[in-house]
Amino acid sequence: MRLPVFALVLCQSLAVAAAAEDVPPLGEGLLSAALLPGWQERDGSRIAAIRIVLAPGWKTYWRVPGDVGVPPQFDFSASGNVAALQVIWPAPEVFESDGMNTVGYHDTLVLPLQITPKAPEAPVSLTASLDFGICDEVCVPVSVALTKDLSGPGAEDPEIAAAMAAAPRPAPGLARCTLTPIRDGVRVAARIDLPQAAGETALFELRSRPMWVSDPEINRQGAALLASVDFVPEDAQPFDLDRKDLRITVVSHGDAVEIDGCPAP
């Protein structure tokens, strides 16, 4: 059985519980964490954001962190007057270290939140419990709890707007996939119809079933990007992979596209 490499990374633990609205400087690695209040949209929904500030040289991870990353986990269930909430992820970067790749962000990460209130005319009590990893020479798991009351029209925040604009563009129908059972999971080989771009890579995930995914193997065949990965579940057994649940994000220097679903060739 193959184990995710991040399970073997030397880690030290840092836990922060904050009932206040902002978390003050936390020392090495994580400098601050806060909820940005954002604004109310015309339809009654609200836009807010999580803002994480890292020390120079430190990184945190995208929703699918790569071979040696720590997958972030967010819990908003203690919030009040929230019918639905979506985290909007800006396009990540791919970092190479000692021959292994991780996927994430450095410096400052702003994660927009699109919130649908149960009662649009009433305030939203937003509570976010965050468990995520930050890494430099060691990987540090961090737990942070944040709260903020959201009310009134607010005002558009340029930081949040920029992070929303940096989200990958939807590009349905660009990929076709072949699925092959392997000893400990399923191999997915995708043919993606995209022009070649500098620094391109393809990041695979299952939207409804988080699991370990290998580093992608990338090749070119004319105007097609060929990418393959192995999905390995916790029981390390072959499984029925739902093609409609596949999501592929192709990231290159200065651009990113997101492909939902991957039908057979």
Side-chain angles (χ1 to χ4, degrees):
M1 173 183 174
R2 286 176 294 179
L3 291 176
V5 178
F6 67 74
L8 307 178
V9 175
L10 176 64
C11 291
Q12 68 185 68
S13 180
L14 171 64
V16 178
E21 293 188 346
D22 297 340
V23 173
L26 302 175
E28 186 178 17
L30 179 62
L31 299 184
S32 68
L35 289 172
L36 304 181
W39 64 90
Q40 188 172 39
E41 300 275 53
R42 290 183 179 180
D43 63 1
S45 64
R46 302 201 69 95
I47 302 296
I50 300 165
R51 187 175 190 268
I52 295 169
V53 181
L54 303 171
W58 287 75
K59 304 174 184 66
T60 192
Y61 296 106
W62 189 52
R63 60 186 183 231
V64 181
D67 262 351
V68 293
V70 178
Q73 298 182 31
F74 302 154
D75 183 1
F76 301 97
S77 61
S79 300
N81 190 30
V82 173
L85 187 149
Q86 179 186 0
V87 180
I88 299 172
W89 291 84
E93 297 180 57
V94 178
F95 304 105
E96 192 276 333
S97 178
D98 296 327
M100 295 177 290
N101 289 331
T102 56
V103 185
Y105 311 91
H106 61 83
D107 298 332
T108 298
L109 170 61
V110 175
L111 281 177
L113 307 173
Q114 188 169 28
I115 303 165
T116 303
K118 294 178 180 177
E121 69 282 357
V124 168
S125 177
L126 183 60
T127 297
S129 296
L130 316 177
D131 292 288
F132 57 100
I134 59 174
C135 282
D136 186 11
E137 294 182 359
V138 295
C139 178
V140 181
V142 179
S143 296
V144 176
L146 301 170
T147 63
K148 187 171 283 290
D149 290 330
L150 310 177
S151 61
E156 184 166 322
D157 184 322
E159 263 195 310
I160 301 177
M164 294 177 71
R169 345 179 238 107
L174 293 186
R176 295 290 184 271
C177 288
T178 300
L179 310 184
T180 306
I182 56 176
R183 177 178 54 85
D184 51 2
V186 174
R187 177 163 297 145
V188 177
R191 180 185 179 93
I192 306 167
D193 295 323
L194 278 174
Q196 188 165 4
E200 65 187 4
T201 192
L203 308 172
F204 290 71
E205 60 187 304
L206 294 178
R207 289 177 295 172
S208 65
R209 187 180 178 185
M211 71 175 64
W212 184 79
V213 187
S214 67
D215 241 6
E217 296 181 6
I218 300 293
N219 289 289
R220 266 280 160 191
Q221 191 176 81
L225 175 66
L226 307 181
S228 63
V229 297
D230 294 347
F231 282 90
V232 179
E234 288 186 1
D235 62 1
Q237 296 292 324
F239 65 99
D240 291 328
L241 190 153
D242 183 357
R243 293 175 176 277
K244 294 180 181 178
D245 202 31
L246 268 169
R247 176 161 53 191
I248 305 171
T249 304
V250 180
V251 179
S252 58
H253 295 329
D255 193 24
V257 299
E258 193 169 271
I259 305 163
D260 278 333
C262 195

PDB file of all heavy atoms in Angstrom, residues 41 56 58 72 89 102 116 118-120 124 130 146 153 164 167 173 178 191 196 198 210 217 229 236:
ATOM      1  N   GLU A  41     -24.699  41.267  -1.771  1.00  0.00           N
ATOM      2  CA  GLU A  41     -25.065  41.354  -3.174  1.00  0.00           C
ATOM      3  C   GLU A  41     -26.535  41.756  -3.317  1.00  0.00           C
ATOM      4  O   GLU A  41     -27.321  41.714  -2.361  1.00  0.00           O
ATOM      5  CB  GLU A  41     -24.839  40.001  -3.861  1.00  0.00           C
ATOM      6  CG  GLU A  41     -23.397  39.511  -3.809  1.00  0.00           C
ATOM      7  CD  GLU A  41     -22.545  40.080  -4.919  1.00  0.00           C
ATOM      8  OE1 GLU A  41     -22.509  41.321  -5.077  1.00  0.00           O
ATOM      9  OE2 GLU A  41     -21.907  39.291  -5.629  1.00  0.00           O
ATOM     10  N   PRO A  56       7.548  35.357   5.494  1.00  0.00           N
ATOM     11  CA  PRO A  56       8.316  35.138   4.263  1.00  0.00           C
ATOM     12  C   PRO A  56       8.879  33.717   4.201  1.00  0.00           C
ATOM     13  O   PRO A  56       9.430  33.204   5.179  1.00  0.00           O
ATOM     14  CB  PRO A  56       9.443  36.174   4.363  1.00  0.00           C
ATOM     15  CG  PRO A  56       8.857  37.279   5.192  1.00  0.00           C
ATOM     16  CD  PRO A  56       7.985  36.581   6.213  1.00  0.00           C
ATOM     17  N   TRP A  58       7.174  30.960   3.899  1.00  0.00           N
ATOM     18  CA  TRP A  58       6.204  29.944   4.300  1.00  0.00           C
ATOM     19  C   TRP A  58       5.107  29.812   3.251  1.00  0.00           C
ATOM     20  O   TRP A  58       4.799  30.750   2.535  1.00  0.00           O
ATOM     21  CB  TRP A  58       5.605  30.289   5.654  1.00  0.00           C
ATOM     22  CG  TRP A  58       6.556  30.068   6.785  1.00  0.00           C
ATOM     23  CD1 TRP A  58       7.629  30.856   7.113  1.00  0.00           C
ATOM     24  CD2 TRP A  58       6.546  28.993   7.714  1.00  0.00           C
ATOM     25  NE1 TRP A  58       8.288  30.323   8.195  1.00  0.00           N
ATOM     26  CE2 TRP A  58       7.645  29.184   8.591  1.00  0.00           C
ATOM     27  CE3 TRP A  58       5.717  27.882   7.900  1.00  0.00           C
ATOM     28  CZ2 TRP A  58       7.927  28.303   9.637  1.00  0.00           C
ATOM     29  CZ3 TRP A  58       6.001  27.005   8.951  1.00  0.00           C
ATOM     30  CH2 TRP A  58       7.093  27.213   9.796  1.00  0.00           C
ATOM     31  N   PRO A  72      -6.382  21.090   3.568  1.00  0.00           N
ATOM     32  CA  PRO A  72      -7.090  21.957   4.511  1.00  0.00           C
ATOM     33  C   PRO A  72      -8.501  21.448   4.780  1.00  0.00           C
ATOM     34  O   PRO A  72      -9.138  20.846   3.908  1.00  0.00           O
ATOM     35  CB  PRO A  72      -7.115  23.307   3.791  1.00  0.00           C
ATOM     36  CG  PRO A  72      -7.064  22.949   2.341  1.00  0.00           C
ATOM     37  CD  PRO A  72      -6.237  21.700   2.243  1.00  0.00           C
ATOM     38  N   TRP A  89     -11.803  29.292  -4.492  1.00  0.00           N
ATOM     39  CA  TRP A  89     -10.353  29.128  -4.418  1.00  0.00           C
ATOM     40  C   TRP A  89      -9.668  29.848  -5.579  1.00  0.00           C
ATOM     41  O   TRP A  89      -9.910  29.505  -6.746  1.00  0.00           O
ATOM     42  CB  TRP A  89      -9.983  27.650  -4.479  1.00  0.00           C
ATOM     43  CG  TRP A  89     -10.394  26.887  -3.258  1.00  0.00           C
ATOM     44  CD1 TRP A  89     -11.616  26.339  -3.011  1.00  0.00           C
ATOM     45  CD2 TRP A  89      -9.580  26.585  -2.115  1.00  0.00           C
ATOM     46  NE1 TRP A  89     -11.619  25.718  -1.792  1.00  0.00           N
ATOM     47  CE2 TRP A  89     -10.385  25.849  -1.222  1.00  0.00           C
ATOM     48  CE3 TRP A  89      -8.253  26.867  -1.783  1.00  0.00           C
ATOM     49  CZ2 TRP A  89      -9.902  25.388  -0.001  1.00  0.00           C
ATOM     50  CZ3 TRP A  89      -7.770  26.408  -0.580  1.00  0.00           C
ATOM     51  CH2 TRP A  89      -8.591  25.681   0.304  1.00  0.00           C
ATOM     52  N   THR A 102       4.196  20.357  -4.386  1.00  0.00           N
ATOM     53  CA  THR A 102       3.046  20.702  -3.575  1.00  0.00           C
ATOM     54  C   THR A 102       2.296  21.822  -4.287  1.00  0.00           C
ATOM     55  O   THR A 102       2.845  22.514  -5.148  1.00  0.00           O
ATOM     56  CB  THR A 102       3.442  21.163  -2.158  1.00  0.00           C
ATOM     57  OG1 THR A 102       4.360  22.254  -2.248  1.00  0.00           O
ATOM     58  CG2 THR A 102       4.064  20.034  -1.368  1.00  0.00           C
ATOM     59  N   THR A 116     -25.114  32.268   1.298  1.00  0.00           N
ATOM     60  CA  THR A 116     -26.552  32.446   1.092  1.00  0.00           C
ATOM     61  C   THR A 116     -27.228  32.425   2.456  1.00  0.00           C
ATOM     62  O   THR A 116     -27.271  31.356   3.105  1.00  0.00           O
ATOM     63  CB  THR A 116     -27.133  31.339   0.205  1.00  0.00           C
ATOM     64  OG1 THR A 116     -26.446  31.317  -1.050  1.00  0.00           O
ATOM     65  CG2 THR A 116     -28.617  31.560  -0.044  1.00  0.00           C
ATOM     66  N   LYS A 118     -30.175  32.323   5.321  1.00  0.00           N
ATOM     67  CA  LYS A 118     -31.544  31.821   5.424  1.00  0.00           C
ATOM     68  C   LYS A 118     -32.536  32.977   5.353  1.00  0.00           C
ATOM     69  O   LYS A 118     -33.585  32.864   4.722  1.00  0.00           O
ATOM     70  CB  LYS A 118     -31.719  31.054   6.734  1.00  0.00           C
ATOM     71  CG  LYS A 118     -30.893  29.777   6.824  1.00  0.00           C
ATOM     72  CD  LYS A 118     -31.078  29.094   8.165  1.00  0.00           C
ATOM     73  CE  LYS A 118     -30.249  27.820   8.256  1.00  0.00           C
ATOM     74  NZ  LYS A 118     -30.373  27.184   9.595  1.00  0.00           N
ATOM     75  N   ALA A 119     -32.181  34.078   6.016  1.00  0.00           N
ATOM     76  CA  ALA A 119     -33.013  35.280   6.001  1.00  0.00           C
ATOM     77  C   ALA A 119     -32.138  36.436   5.547  1.00  0.00           C
ATOM     78  O   ALA A 119     -31.333  36.956   6.320  1.00  0.00           O
ATOM     79  CB  ALA A 119     -33.594  35.562   7.386  1.00  0.00           C
ATOM     80  N   PRO A 120     -32.237  36.853   4.266  1.00  0.00           N
ATOM     81  CA  PRO A 120     -31.329  37.876   3.726  1.00  0.00           C
ATOM     82  C   PRO A 120     -31.369  39.202   4.470  1.00  0.00           C
ATOM     83  O   PRO A 120     -30.372  39.930   4.486  1.00  0.00           O
ATOM     84  CB  PRO A 120     -31.815  38.050   2.284  1.00  0.00           C
ATOM     85  CG  PRO A 120     -32.490  36.765   1.952  1.00  0.00           C
ATOM     86  CD  PRO A 120     -33.134  36.310   3.224  1.00  0.00           C
ATOM     87  N   VAL A 124     -25.707  37.858   9.463  1.00  0.00           N
ATOM     88  CA  VAL A 124     -25.096  36.528   9.434  1.00  0.00           C
ATOM     89  C   VAL A 124     -24.040  36.471  10.528  1.00  0.00           C
ATOM     90  O   VAL A 124     -23.192  37.359  10.635  1.00  0.00           O
ATOM     91  CB  VAL A 124     -24.451  36.236   8.066  1.00  0.00           C
ATOM     92  CG1 VAL A 124     -23.575  34.982   8.138  1.00  0.00           C
ATOM     93  CG2 VAL A 124     -25.516  36.072   7.000  1.00  0.00           C
ATOM     94  N   LEU A 130     -10.862  26.392  11.218  1.00  0.00           N
ATOM     95  CA  LEU A 130      -9.920  26.103  10.139  1.00  0.00           C
ATOM     96  C   LEU A 130      -8.824  25.171  10.642  1.00  0.00           C
ATOM     97  O   LEU A 130      -8.209  25.430  11.683  1.00  0.00           O
ATOM     98  CB  LEU A 130      -9.290  27.396   9.624  1.00  0.00           C
ATOM     99  CG  LEU A 130     -10.211  28.599   9.405  1.00  0.00           C
ATOM    100  CD1 LEU A 130      -9.398  29.805   8.977  1.00  0.00           C
ATOM    101  CD2 LEU A 130     -11.277  28.269   8.376  1.00  0.00           C
ATOM    102  N   LEU A 146     -12.412  31.434  14.037  1.00  0.00           N
ATOM    103  CA  LEU A 146     -12.681  32.849  13.773  1.00  0.00           C
ATOM    104  C   LEU A 146     -14.182  33.092  13.782  1.00  0.00           C
ATOM    105  O   LEU A 146     -14.960  32.237  13.352  1.00  0.00           O
ATOM    106  CB  LEU A 146     -12.126  33.258  12.404  1.00  0.00           C
ATOM    107  CG  LEU A 146     -10.633  33.078  12.161  1.00  0.00           C
ATOM    108  CD1 LEU A 146     -10.314  33.311  10.692  1.00  0.00           C
ATOM    109  CD2 LEU A 146      -9.833  34.034  13.034  1.00  0.00           C
ATOM    110  N   PRO A 153     -25.088  46.673   4.174  1.00  0.00           N
ATOM    111  CA  PRO A 153     -24.649  46.485   2.783  1.00  0.00           C
ATOM    112  C   PRO A 153     -23.152  46.268   2.641  1.00  0.00           C
ATOM    113  O   PRO A 153     -22.697  45.654   1.683  1.00  0.00           O
ATOM    114  CB  PRO A 153     -25.088  47.778   2.091  1.00  0.00           C
ATOM    115  CG  PRO A 153     -25.143  48.796   3.197  1.00  0.00           C
ATOM    116  CD  PRO A 153     -25.589  48.045   4.413  1.00  0.00           C
ATOM    117  N   MET A 164     -11.402  36.707  -6.165  1.00  0.00           N
ATOM    118  CA  MET A 164     -12.470  36.100  -6.964  1.00  0.00           C
ATOM    119  C   MET A 164     -12.108  36.094  -8.447  1.00  0.00           C
ATOM    120  O   MET A 164     -12.360  35.108  -9.158  1.00  0.00           O
ATOM    121  CB  MET A 164     -13.781  36.847  -6.727  1.00  0.00           C
ATOM    122  CG  MET A 164     -14.319  36.706  -5.310  1.00  0.00           C
ATOM    123  SD  MET A 164     -15.820  37.668  -5.015  1.00  0.00           S
ATOM    124  CE  MET A 164     -17.027  36.738  -5.972  1.00  0.00           C
ATOM    125  N   ALA A 167      -9.861  33.161  -9.592  1.00  0.00           N
ATOM    126  CA  ALA A 167     -10.350  31.779  -9.619  1.00  0.00           C
ATOM    127  C   ALA A 167     -10.234  31.217 -11.038  1.00  0.00           C
ATOM    128  O   ALA A 167     -10.370  31.950 -12.024  1.00  0.00           O
ATOM    129  CB  ALA A 167     -11.797  31.729  -9.145  1.00  0.00           C
ATOM    130  N   GLY A 173     -16.075  20.412 -20.991  1.00  0.00           N
ATOM    131  CA  GLY A 173     -16.004  19.680 -22.249  1.00  0.00           C
ATOM    132  C   GLY A 173     -14.637  19.576 -22.890  1.00  0.00           C
ATOM    133  O   GLY A 173     -14.518  19.071 -24.000  1.00  0.00           O
ATOM    134  N   THR A 178      -9.658   8.067 -19.677  1.00  0.00           N
ATOM    135  CA  THR A 178      -9.656   6.611 -19.610  1.00  0.00           C
ATOM    136  C   THR A 178      -9.371   6.200 -18.174  1.00  0.00           C
ATOM    137  O   THR A 178      -8.412   6.698 -17.557  1.00  0.00           O
ATOM    138  CB  THR A 178      -8.572   6.031 -20.540  1.00  0.00           C
ATOM    139  OG1 THR A 178      -8.841   6.441 -21.887  1.00  0.00           O
ATOM    140  CG2 THR A 178      -8.549   4.514 -20.466  1.00  0.00           C
ATOM    141  N   ARG A 191      -7.006  13.291 -21.730  1.00  0.00           N
ATOM    142  CA  ARG A 191      -6.583  14.055 -22.913  1.00  0.00           C
ATOM    143  C   ARG A 191      -7.338  15.381 -22.863  1.00  0.00           C
ATOM    144  O   ARG A 191      -8.576  15.401 -22.911  1.00  0.00           O
ATOM    145  CB  ARG A 191      -6.908  13.299 -24.197  1.00  0.00           C
ATOM    146  CG  ARG A 191      -6.485  14.048 -25.467  1.00  0.00           C
ATOM    147  CD  ARG A 191      -6.935  13.303 -26.713  1.00  0.00           C
ATOM    148  NE  ARG A 191      -6.547  14.043 -27.913  1.00  0.00           N
ATOM    149  CZ  ARG A 191      -5.429  13.843 -28.585  1.00  0.00           C
ATOM    150  NH1 ARG A 191      -4.587  12.913 -28.185  1.00  0.00           N
ATOM    151  NH2 ARG A 191      -5.146  14.558 -29.669  1.00  0.00           N
ATOM    152  N   GLN A 196      -0.612  24.701 -25.754  1.00  0.00           N
ATOM    153  CA  GLN A 196       0.496  24.607 -24.823  1.00  0.00           C
ATOM    154  C   GLN A 196       0.754  25.949 -24.165  1.00  0.00           C
ATOM    155  O   GLN A 196       0.661  27.005 -24.794  1.00  0.00           O
ATOM    156  CB  GLN A 196       1.762  24.135 -25.540  1.00  0.00           C
ATOM    157  CG  GLN A 196       2.920  23.822 -24.590  1.00  0.00           C
ATOM    158  CD  GLN A 196       4.016  23.030 -25.279  1.00  0.00           C
ATOM    159  OE1 GLN A 196       3.954  22.783 -26.486  1.00  0.00           O
ATOM    160  NE2 GLN A 196       5.021  22.616 -24.536  1.00  0.00           N
ATOM    161  N   ALA A 198       3.269  27.896 -20.872  1.00  0.00           N
ATOM    162  CA  ALA A 198       4.451  27.753 -20.025  1.00  0.00           C
ATOM    163  C   ALA A 198       4.056  27.311 -18.624  1.00  0.00           C
ATOM    164  O   ALA A 198       3.099  27.823 -18.043  1.00  0.00           O
ATOM    165  CB  ALA A 198       5.202  29.081 -19.967  1.00  0.00           C
ATOM    166  N   PRO A 210     -12.875  13.323  -1.092  1.00  0.00           N
ATOM    167  CA  PRO A 210     -11.446  13.639  -1.013  1.00  0.00           C
ATOM    168  C   PRO A 210     -10.608  12.373  -0.807  1.00  0.00           C
ATOM    169  O   PRO A 210     -10.968  11.505  -0.016  1.00  0.00           O
ATOM    170  CB  PRO A 210     -11.359  14.557   0.217  1.00  0.00           C
ATOM    171  CG  PRO A 210     -12.738  15.093   0.395  1.00  0.00           C
ATOM    172  CD  PRO A 210     -13.661  14.004  -0.057  1.00  0.00           C
ATOM    173  N   GLU A 217       1.566  12.858 -14.236  1.00  0.00           N
ATOM    174  CA  GLU A 217       2.546  12.667 -15.307  1.00  0.00           C
ATOM    175  C   GLU A 217       2.032  13.439 -16.519  1.00  0.00           C
ATOM    176  O   GLU A 217       0.915  13.205 -16.977  1.00  0.00           O
ATOM    177  CB  GLU A 217       2.707  11.189 -15.626  1.00  0.00           C
ATOM    178  CG  GLU A 217       3.279  10.377 -14.475  1.00  0.00           C
ATOM    179  CD  GLU A 217       3.438   8.911 -14.831  1.00  0.00           C
ATOM    180  OE1 GLU A 217       3.216   8.562 -16.022  1.00  0.00           O
ATOM    181  OE2 GLU A 217       3.763   8.113 -13.941  1.00  0.00           O
ATOM    182  N   VAL A 229      -2.920  10.361 -13.475  1.00  0.00           N
ATOM    183  CA  VAL A 229      -2.708  10.309 -12.029  1.00  0.00           C
ATOM    184  C   VAL A 229      -3.295   9.010 -11.497  1.00  0.00           C
ATOM    185  O   VAL A 229      -4.110   8.359 -12.146  1.00  0.00           O
ATOM    186  CB  VAL A 229      -3.369  11.497 -11.291  1.00  0.00           C
ATOM    187  CG1 VAL A 229      -2.763  12.825 -11.708  1.00  0.00           C
ATOM    188  CG2 VAL A 229      -4.881  11.491 -11.496  1.00  0.00           C
ATOM    189  N   ALA A 236      -7.052   1.447   0.046  1.00  0.00           N
ATOM    190  CA  ALA A 236      -6.078   1.057  -0.977  1.00  0.00           C
ATOM    191  C   ALA A 236      -6.593  -0.089  -1.847  1.00  0.00           C
ATOM    192  O   ALA A 236      -5.903  -1.090  -2.092  1.00  0.00           O
ATOM    193  CB  ALA A 236      -4.743   0.686  -0.331  1.00  0.00           C
TER     194      ALA A 236
END
